[in-house]
């Protein structure tokens, strides 16, 4: 529903309104040469994508990491790319185990694509979302994330219900709608805000709380009991 609409909207904007001077730099990371060749071949079809070598990773580059599951070596690579090199991450994996869910989000992954769904169309959706700092998680993965964080909340001791850090009411309102998969325009319409206001709210809270992207902000809000 909402998530599909968000992804379609992102893709339409990226392809229909793309400026050749603002192509998205993309680096593919994988130990599997067949997976690398396939991803490069798919991404090369899109004029908004500028493929680069691994050594050319710079702040704002979208790093596409491909593997079976986000094991510790992949998570370590994610942390380095996002925190040290300023990249934005897309994870293409076959599965994410329960124990890895929060680690994946907290490493700075903005978009996740299941390998069996990794068509050229789907990869571009994820790359565009990551380049904008938006979240793009499969619906089943987002549902599992919300369930897991809810369980952690209920089992936590010594927190009678008051969140430990500050989100103001309109930040909570925006994050609730982000968690439902709405894009910036839809959130603005629901809350009777301008799109600029929604963007400013997201930028303000992610900067203040040192959150890396929308998915990380949603995970934070869930963990702290706001949504």
């Amino acid at each position: 529903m909402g998530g599909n609409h968000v992804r379609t909207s992102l893709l339409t904007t990226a392809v229909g309104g793309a400026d050749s001077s603002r192509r998205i730099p993309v680096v593919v990371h994988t130990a599997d040469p067949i997976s690398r060749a396939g991803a490069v071949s798919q991404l090369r079809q899109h004029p908004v994508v500028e493929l680069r070598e691994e050594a050319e990773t710079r702040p704002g580059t979208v790093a596409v990491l491909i593997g079976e599951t986000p094991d510790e070596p992949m998570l370590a690579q994610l942390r380095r790319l996002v925190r040290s090199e300023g990249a934005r991450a897309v994870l293409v994996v076959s599965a994410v185990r329960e124990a890895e869910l929060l680690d994946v989000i907290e490493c700075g992954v903005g978009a996740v694509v299941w390998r069996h769904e990794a068509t050229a169309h789907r990869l571009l959706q994820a790359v565009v979302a990551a380049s904008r700092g938006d979240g793009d998680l499969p619906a089943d993965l987002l549902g599992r994330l919300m369930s897991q964080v809810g369980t952690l909340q209920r089992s936590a001791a010594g927190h009678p219900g008051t969140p430990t850090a500050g989100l103001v009411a309109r930040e909570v309102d925006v994050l609730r709608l982000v968690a439902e998969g709405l894009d910036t325009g839809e959130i603005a319409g629901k809350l009777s805000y301008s799109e600029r206001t929604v963007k400013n709210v997201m930028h303000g809270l992610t900067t203040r709380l040192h959150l890396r992207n929308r998915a990380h902000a949603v995970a934070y809000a869930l963990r702290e009991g706001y949504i």
Side-chain angles (χ1 to χ4, degrees), residues 3-28:
N4 289 335
H5 175 77
V6 171
R7 290 191 287 269
T8 301
S9 174
L10 286 168
L11 184 63
T12 301
T13 302
V15 175
D19 177 346
S20 60
S21 67
R22 300 193 61 175
R23 298 170 69 196
I24 302 169
V26 176
V27 176
V28 177

Side-chain angles (χ1 to χ4, degrees), residues 86-181:
R88 294 175 174 177
V90 173
L91 197 61
V92 183
V93 291
S94 297
V96 177
R97 293 182 289 265
E98 296 301 320
E100 298 159 344
L101 272 174
L102 290 179
D103 284 338
V104 164
I105 299 302
E106 291 178 347
C107 279
V109 174
V112 176
V113 178
W114 299 132
R115 289 188 69 149
H116 69 276
E117 296 178 349
T119 61
H121 179 86
R122 183 69 187 89
L123 276 178
L124 180 63
Q125 290 174 340
V127 165
V128 171
S131 75
R132 295 180 173 181
D134 293 339
D136 187 356
L137 302 180
D140 58 331
L141 188 61
L142 181 58
R144 286 164 53 200
L145 175 64
M146 295 177 73
S147 175
Q148 186 182 88
V149 175
T151 300
L152 288 174
Q153 272 186 267
R154 289 190 294 273
S155 64
H159 297 281
T162 302
T164 59
L167 287 182
V168 300
R170 71 174 182 174
E171 290 174 335
V172 175
D173 290 340
V174 168
L175 282 176
R176 281 201 184 102
L177 297 177
V178 170
E180 291 176 14

